[in-house]
């Protein structure tokens, strides 16, 4: 067969943009990067919602999914749809997982993914403007800076004071492997406002290469095969028609929602689920779409005093990472001071609070035990999948969130924080010591932190719920790979963007079989 490309990378998000940039650094490889959304090739042509790192972009460049949270309640479930993917719309929190997270991946049968194995890739991606040394990198494509004390809002300073008064340690560098406590958030930006996505950091320097083609506005329907060998992709053109593009390798980086749906449409997934949609089963892999893990979030929020909120402030600036009482998992809880939370996009919460903008202390559970599932609603590539987060299925999560809300309440009621707001939204004092009432509050206020992972889990072939091996190759196939957030065997104790970029870096090195160079090399240079 004559191939038009050596590699096709499907999806240009946190991982896919990295792969396309690293693979095309070898000028002898012809690389096609396909992206369903638009591509903005210059800063000048990039819309304001994508450049503004001080607020998430939840509508203008979104897939418009909804996910089930609990007991039938569904909510907005954003995913970035443009080059840069979700790294281009997110809250710019640039945190690594704990060393234990990656050591667990290795212990689950994934050699090459322990903390010491992946650290060089975290270093390689970054240009840390604050810290250097054995754990940090300089000169990489993604700038990382922490908020300086004089840049914090009153609410952030008050939160920090409340945390220190409650006995939590202060930490200045949350990306140090032993960091815990309260301190400034590392953020993927070089200045005070501009979000740096992987499209800017990685594709920017690579896009002029003659051997890299970026096909924006191109939605991939499925993978093409010759026997068990992937030979290319079918691009959806509407009305059931499509174009075929052939390549030596296909790498799915369409994210934890996109990649498993492409696999299922290609006949790779749970046989009964595929059969329900009349899709011919190529490979019965029950783990595709299973093991959906996400970080649940709730919190204690307040109606702000008049003039207290400025929507131009950064959304988040400081974080408290701590360990739940009795937990063996360090940093399994995250707390944030949210400077402003616009409820116009969340009508249920708007209705409950009665005001359009709130602020307060947010809790994000880092090691949930509940597992959800992603299934197709139809084989049509334009139909949204069914996303069931199945939050609170495990009692551990109910208990941890209920206890966590008590901590939010204490921090929000510290005098330095409490004086900034008029009243606390929904939650009343009498509920705090009542497990049943507090549990009901958790159920009502629960939402996603937008960190889905695990839907094409990495692990040994012998485990029937795994989908790719430690080289990112789909079990039972040749020349088909998945490299994005969906391969995480378990969720990390951190927001998932940096770990997804690391997966892109690590997969690119595996696919070029070259050892990582140390930090400081640009995306434009050879892998
Ligand atoms: C609103 C929001 C805020 C977030 N904030 C943070 C944060 O502050 N810090 C943090 O660490 N994490 C954050 N996250 C999570 C983080 O961004 C993701 O975990 C990470 O980007 C996942 O990377 P990925 O490469 O797996 O997928 P994505 O970055 O989502 O990339 C997938 C790409 O594939 C494309 N695609 C999908 N299907 C197809 C198809 N069929 N054909 C062609 N292209 C396709 C998509 O359009 C997208 O560009 C946030 C996420 C969201 C949505």
């Amino acid at each position: 067969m004559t191939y038009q490309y050596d590699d096709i990378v499907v999806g240009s998000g946190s991982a896919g943009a990295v792969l396309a940039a690293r693979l095309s650094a070898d000028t002898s490889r012809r690389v096609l990067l396909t992206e369903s959304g638009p591509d903005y090739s210059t800063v000048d042509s990039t819309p304001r919602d994508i450049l503004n790192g001080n607020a998430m972009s939840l509508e203008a460049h979104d897939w418009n999914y909804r996910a089930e949270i609990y007991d039938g309640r569904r909510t907005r479930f954003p995913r970035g749809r443009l080059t840069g993917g979700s790294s281009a719309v997110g809250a710019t929190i640039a945190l690594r997982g704990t060393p234990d997270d990656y050591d667990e991946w290795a212990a689950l049968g994934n050699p090459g993914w322990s903390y010491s194995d992946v650290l060089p890739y975290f270093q390689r991606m970054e240009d840390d403007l604050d810290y250097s040394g054995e754990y940090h990198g300089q000169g990489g494509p993604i700038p990382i800076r922490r908020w300086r004390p004089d840049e914090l809002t009153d609410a952030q300073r008050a939160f920090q004071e409340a945390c220190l008064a409650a006995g939590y340690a202060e930490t200045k560098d949350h990306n140090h492997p032993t960091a815990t406590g309260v301190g400034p958030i590392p953020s993927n930006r070089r200045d005070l406002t501009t979000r740096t996505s992987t499209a800017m950091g990685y594709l920017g320097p690579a896009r002029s290469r003659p051997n890299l083609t970026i096909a924006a506005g191109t939605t991939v329907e499925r993978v093409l095969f010759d026997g068990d060998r992937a030979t290319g992709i079918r691009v959806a053109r509407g009305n059931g028609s499509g174009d075929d593009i052939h390549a030596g390798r296909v790498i799915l980086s369409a994210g934890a929602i996109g990649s498993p749906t492409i696999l299922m449409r290609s006949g790779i997934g749970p046989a009964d689920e595929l059969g329900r949609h009349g899709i011919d089963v190529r490979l019965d892999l029950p783990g595709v779409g299973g093991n959906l893990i996400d970080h649940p979030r709730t919190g204690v929020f307040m109606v702000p005093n008049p003039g207290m909120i400025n929507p131009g402030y950064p959304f988040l600036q400081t974080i408290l990472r701590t360990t739940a009482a009795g937990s063996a998992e360090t940093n399994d809880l995250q707390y944030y001071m949210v400077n402003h939370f616009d409820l116009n996009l969340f009508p249920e919460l708007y209705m409950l609070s009665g005001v359009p903008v709130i602020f307060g202390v947010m809790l994000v559970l880092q090691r949930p035990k509940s597992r959800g599932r992603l299934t197709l609603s139809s084989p049509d590539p334009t139909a949204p999948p069914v996303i069931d987060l199945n939050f609170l299925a495990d009692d551990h999560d109910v208990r941890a969130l209920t206890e966590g809300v008590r901590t939010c309440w204490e921090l929000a009621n510290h005098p330095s924080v409490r004086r900034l707001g008029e009243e606390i939204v929904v939650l009343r004092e009498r509920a705090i010591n009542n497990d049943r009432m507090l549990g009901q509050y958790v159920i009502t206020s629960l939402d996603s932190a937008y960190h889905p992972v695990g839907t094409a889990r990495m692990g040994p072939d012998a485990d029937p719920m795994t989908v790719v091996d430690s080289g990112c190759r789909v079990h039972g196939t040749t020349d088909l790979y998945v490299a994005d957030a969906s391969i995480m065997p378990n969720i990390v104790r951190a927001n998932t963007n940096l770990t997804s970029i690391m997966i892109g870096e690590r997969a690119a090195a595996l696919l070029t079989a070259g050892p990582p160079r140390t930090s400081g090399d640009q995306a434009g240079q050879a892998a």
Side-chain angles (χ1 to χ4, degrees):
M1 175 173 292
T2 314
Y3 295 131
Q4 292 138 283
Y5 296 94
D6 296 292
D7 292 313
I8 295 177
V9 180
V10 178
S12 67
S14 300
V18 178
L19 271 150
R22 294 298 187 198
L23 294 174
S24 64
D26 173 354
T27 52
S28 68
R29 296 199 76 78
R30 297 156 303 164
V31 177
L32 172 67
L33 176 64
T34 58
E35 168 54 46
S36 181
D39 176 41
Y40 303 108
S41 58
T42 61
V43 172
D44 284 349
S45 65
T46 304
R48 169 104 192 108
D49 62 299
I50 300 306
L51 291 179
N52 178 21
N54 287 347
M56 294 186 285
S57 170
L58 301 178
E59 257 187 326
H61 295 88
D62 189 41
W63 282 82
N64 290 311
Y65 293 142
R66 292 185 72 78
E68 181 165 340
I69 295 286
Y70 178 79
D71 203 18
R73 181 163 66 83
R74 295 169 80 233
T75 185
R76 167 186 295 276
F77 194 70
R79 298 281 88 205
R81 189 175 198 167
L82 72 161
T83 50
S86 299
S87 80
V89 299
T92 74
I93 297 167
L95 262 189
R96 301 172 183 173
T98 69
D100 288 351
D101 291 332
Y102 309 105
D103 288 345
E104 182 192 34
W105 292 10
L108 287 170
N110 297 298
W113 292 88
S114 70
Y115 178 67
S116 60
D117 291 321
V118 301
L119 178 60
Y121 301 97
F122 280 111
Q123 293 174 284
R124 188 181 193 197
M125 75 175 68
E126 72 181 11
D127 184 16
D128 194 311
L129 306 182
D130 302 317
Y131 291 96
S132 55
E134 62 178 316
Y135 298 117
H136 296 290
Q138 266 73 42
I142 303 292
I144 294 185
R145 80 187 292 281
R146 293 152 191 79
W147 296 96
R148 321 240 189 282
D150 62 333
E151 294 164 357
L152 299 180
T153 64
D154 287 351
Q156 300 294 329
R157 272 194 279 269
F159 175 68
Q160 187 134 347
E161 193 184 327
C163 292
L164 295 176
Y168 296 107
E170 182 176 9
T171 184
K172 303 230 183 273
D173 174 20
H174 269 299
N175 278 338
H176 189 279
T178 61
T180 190
V182 63
I185 291 174
S187 176
N188 44 296
R189 58 177 82 196
R190 194 171 290 284
D191 58 32
L192 289 179
T193 51
T194 317
R195 176 191 291 111
T196 302
S197 69
T198 53
M200 293 161 83
Y202 282 86
L203 293 184
R207 64 170 60 247
S208 61
R209 291 176 190 154
N211 63 322
L212 172 63
T213 305
I214 301 175
T218 302
T219 302
V220 171
E221 178 190 330
R222 61 185 167 89
V223 179
L224 305 171
F225 285 90
D226 179 7
D228 67 2
R229 179 179 295 276
T231 57
I233 54 170
R234 171 153 300 173
V235 171
R237 292 286 179 221
N239 302 327
S241 68
D243 298 334
D244 294 349
I245 308 175
H246 293 283
R249 289 190 299 206
V250 176
I251 304 153
L252 301 183
S253 296
I257 307 302
S259 291
T261 56
I262 295 171
L263 285 175
M264 286 190 264
R265 289 196 297 265
S266 311
I268 299 176
D272 52 348
E273 162 72 6
L274 303 184
R276 229 164 34 88
H277 296 289
I279 299 171
D280 290 340
V281 180
R282 175 173 297 281
L283 254 175
D284 181 11
L285 276 186
V288 176
N291 193 49
L292 170 59
I293 321 173
D294 192 0
H295 289 141
R297 69 171 164 87
T298 174
V300 172
F301 297 96
M302 275 189 266
V303 177
N305 288 337
M308 198 286 249
I309 283 188
N310 177 342
Y313 289 158
F315 176 52
L316 306 163
Q317 292 180 298
T318 49
I319 181 173
L320 167 64
R321 292 159 77 217
T322 185
T323 307
S327 168
E329 298 190 303
T330 314
N331 290 342
D332 57 356
L333 299 173
Q334 280 187 353
Y335 298 89
Y336 298 85
M337 169 53 70
V338 181
N339 278 330
H340 50 84
F341 188 18
D342 183 348
L343 299 185
N344 282 300
L345 296 179
F346 298 87
E348 299 91 343
L349 269 179
Y350 194 164
M351 197 186 73
L352 285 172
S353 68
V355 288
V357 183
I358 54 178
F359 80 103
V361 183
M362 179 168 80
L363 160 71
V364 188
L365 183 61
Q366 296 299 295
R367 296 287 279 182
K369 308 293 175 226
S370 306
R371 297 290 183 263
R373 178 155 204 89
L374 176 83
T375 47
L376 294 178
S377 63
S378 148
D380 177 350
T382 62
V386 179
I387 304 168
D388 181 4
L389 295 173
N390 200 26
F391 281 163
L392 305 183
D394 192 298
D395 282 349
H396 161 274
D397 300 354
V398 182
R399 281 195 304 275
L401 286 160
T402 308
E403 270 316 306
V405 170
R406 290 195 170 104
T407 304
C408 292
W409 176 265
E410 280 166 31
L411 295 172
N413 278 290
H414 185 274
S416 59
V417 178
R418 187 66 191 81
R419 70 183 172 81
L420 301 171
E422 284 181 358
E423 60 173 339
I424 289 181
V425 172
V426 180
L427 195 56
R428 292 291 166 262
E429 176 119 47
R430 61 180 173 278
I432 295 303
N433 293 319
N434 180 321
D435 279 353
R436 201 179 52 79
M437 283 167 81
L438 207 52
Q440 193 54 49
Y441 173 79
V442 166
I443 288 172
T444 312
S445 60
L446 203 66
D447 208 327
S448 158
Y450 312 145
H451 299 158
V453 307
T455 46
R457 190 171 120 194
M458 175 169 62
D461 202 3
D463 178 346
M465 288 307 282
T466 65
V467 176
V468 299
D469 65 19
S470 59
C472 302
R473 188 183 53 87
V474 176
H475 292 312
T477 69
T478 310
D479 296 331
L480 177 60
Y481 300 83
V482 181
D484 57 28
S486 53
I487 71 165
M488 294 189 206
N490 196 354
I491 198 159
V492 292
R493 279 161 270 187
N495 315 53
T496 44
N497 187 32
L498 282 201
T499 298
S500 304
I501 298 175
M502 177 278 285
I503 289 171
E505 287 278 11
R506 178 92 187 93
L510 289 166
L511 291 169
T512 50
R517 287 159 41 133
T518 50
S519 60
D521 50 347
Q522 296 290 329
Q525 297 173 346

